[in-house]
Amino acid sequence: MKKVIDGKALVYCEGAFNTPYGKTAHGLVRFTERYEVVGVLDEKYAGRDAGDVLDGRPNGIPVFKDLEAAIIALKTTNNLPSYLVIGLAPDGGRLPQVAKATIKAALQQGWNVDSGLHDFLTNDPELVALAKDKNVKIRDIRKTPDRDQLHFFTGDIEKVDCLKLAVLGTDSALGKRTTAWILVHAFRAAGKKAEMIGTGQTGWMQGAKYSMVMDSCINDFVSGEIEHAVVSAYNNENPDVIVIEGQGSLMNPAYPGGFEILAAGRPDYVILQHAPKRLEYDGFPGYKMHSLAEQINAIQVISGKEVIAITVNHEDMQKDEILDVCKSITLETKLPAFDVLEYGAEDLITLLMSKLK
């Protein structure tokens, strides 16, 4: 059994699994060092294997209709969790009202609850009282630390003398974090020391040791928190490479993340995640996505750094389309293009190994 930080977890994703609003659950189903995931809650896929639903690759994580069904099944296998984790990632980070009943029932079971939403469970007196009564914890991962615990940008990033890569994207909910983890694991498999810098709540939930939650950090401290995470990873781990998870995109109207990562993380190179079939920005019909060429140019103008490769999100594609799409991107941009989720990262890692310091 793999060693995990916090124990077994059941992931709540009702109505959102295998949609863009379930990306936190997707990350946990694919990989986490923080929990051993024992199941997912989503009535639509009840009875299915979560890995099979998500990627066509069974991984032994069952999907249950509801909490009651999960408890009955997990009791019989002596696999009851100690955590309920909210795996939803809806626009605006709001908790659906229907979810509260499941959260209350989990607390009644004596389980801890972790949530990465903007609706803080610790602001709900009823849930807080119930957790106290049952002697369990509620953790709001997006709750910003007190300002005296936050860091301001210092310039210490210039002392980081290893390869720094940023995985940015042409849109939000695109797979940047998944690609970043795939690269970290591929570097490690190749015998190199690699560290992941998590910049969202899911990265933390997956066990990224060096993390900050960018979209809920007070703006004055965003650059400092990014720098502090990178510098801490470098000083403590002496890695060969640091991979920084991107957030949003430069041009998504609601999630214009990315600039602070370029400015404060100061990557040596950028890997750009792109979904070729996506025509409009995530969640905003009518907002046409800027072209790949425009987005590459914007990154290079802003940062002065090279976009070294394109990683492809194959949403809405058939498998037999993927390699042809990668070839067409290379013809268009003169950059190598890879689908690392479908085909692995070995070819991309071969390219990146030549850039190690």
Side-chain angles (χ1 to χ4, degrees):
M1 185 184 295
K2 71 174 183 176
K3 185 178 180 182
V4 295
I5 299 168
D6 287 328
K8 295 177 181 179
L10 183 66
V11 178
Y12 179 91
C13 199
E14 182 55 49
F17 197 63
N18 203 29
T19 79
Y21 301 129
K23 66 179 185 177
T24 294
H26 302 163
L28 296 174
V29 163
R30 286 176 174 139
F31 163 79
T32 175
E33 293 176 346
R34 183 164 297 280
Y35 316 102
E36 178 190 345
V37 177
V38 297
V40 174
L41 299 181
D42 188 345
E43 185 175 8
K44 180 178 179 181
Y45 294 105
R48 299 276 305 276
D49 180 289
D52 186 40
V53 170
L54 199 55
D55 297 319
R57 300 183 190 121
N59 62 6
I61 297 174
V63 183
F64 299 109
K65 176 185 176 183
D66 53 28
L67 188 70
E68 184 179 7
I71 290 170
I72 291 168
L74 294 171
K75 263 185 180 175
T76 64
T77 57
N78 197 29
N79 222 14
L80 282 172
S82 54
Y83 282 85
L84 178 75
V85 179
I86 307 303
L88 303 173
D91 289 339
R94 300 301 178 194
L95 181 74
Q97 192 60 35
V98 69
K100 186 173 175 180
T102 300
I103 293 168
K104 286 173 63 177
L107 292 169
Q108 288 281 11
Q109 289 288 324
W111 301 354
N112 305 286
V113 177
D114 284 351
S115 172
L117 299 179
H118 285 302
D119 277 338
F120 297 145
L121 303 184
T122 49
N123 288 351
D124 187 313
E126 183 184 13
L127 296 180
V128 170
L130 186 53
K132 184 177 181 182
D133 181 59
K134 294 294 182 178
N135 196 29
V136 293
K137 295 177 294 183
I138 298 173
R139 293 190 290 194
D140 285 308
I141 313 310
R142 262 186 169 134
K143 206 161 200 176
T144 306
D146 291 339
R147 294 181 195 216
D148 61 0
Q149 297 177 44
L150 297 173
H151 301 85
F152 198 71
F153 186 81
T154 64
D156 284 350
I157 193 77
E158 305 302 338
K159 300 173 186 175
V160 176
D161 190 28
C162 70
L163 177 64
K164 299 192 300 297
L165 302 170
V167 180
L168 302 187
T170 56
D171 197 9
S172 59
L174 203 64
K176 298 179 289 291
R177 185 194 66 258
T178 297
T179 291
W181 275 120
I182 288 171
L183 291 178
V184 166
H185 294 150
F187 272 117
R188 290 174 180 172
K192 299 300 179 182
K193 292 184 71 176
E195 286 297 325
M196 163 84 159
I197 304 300
T199 54
Q201 72 278 9
T202 308
W204 182 90
M205 287 176 167
Q206 289 180 294
K209 188 174 177 182
Y210 300 95
S211 295
M212 55 86 67
V213 184
M214 187 170 153
D215 67 8
S216 61
C217 187
I218 297 163
N219 192 259
D220 262 2
F221 297 98
V222 169
S223 290
E225 286 295 295
I226 292 168
E227 179 191 47
H228 178 70
V230 174
V231 170
S232 297
Y234 178 70
N235 289 340
N236 296 340
E237 309 298 338
N238 191 28
D240 298 300
V241 57
I242 290 173
V243 181
I244 308 170
E245 171 201 4
Q247 288 296 319
S249 75
L250 288 179
M251 298 176 182
N252 182 298
Y255 312 114
F259 177 73
E260 293 97 336
I261 289 168
L262 292 170
R266 309 191 74 76
D268 299 298
Y269 299 96
V270 173
I271 294 156
L272 186 60
Q273 180 94 356
H274 179 58
K277 298 283 188 176
R278 195 179 293 191
L279 303 178
E280 298 174 321
Y281 282 107
D282 174 42
F284 294 91
Y287 283 76
K288 185 180 176 184
M289 280 185 61
H290 295 76
S291 71
L292 190 53
E294 287 177 295
Q295 301 225 28
I296 292 167
N297 183 59
I299 289 168
Q300 294 184 161
V301 167
I302 286 169
S303 66
K305 300 300 182 181
E306 178 185 349
V307 176
I308 196 171
I310 307 299
T311 47
V312 170
N313 176 328
H314 57 247
E315 68 180 20
D316 298 327
M317 288 188 212
Q318 299 299 318
K319 186 171 180 178
D320 60 8
E321 291 181 80
I322 295 171
L323 293 178
D324 286 340
V325 168
C326 289
K327 288 175 186 174
S328 68
I329 288 172
T330 297
L331 286 172
E332 176 192 350
T333 64
K334 307 297 186 288
L335 294 171
F338 309 90
D339 184 337
V340 297
L341 181 61
E342 185 63 39
Y343 294 108
E346 287 76 11
D347 290 343
L348 178 53
I349 291 296
T350 299
L351 169 68
L352 297 173
M353 290 282 259
S354 66
K355 305 298 183 183
L356 291 172
K357 296 183 181 180

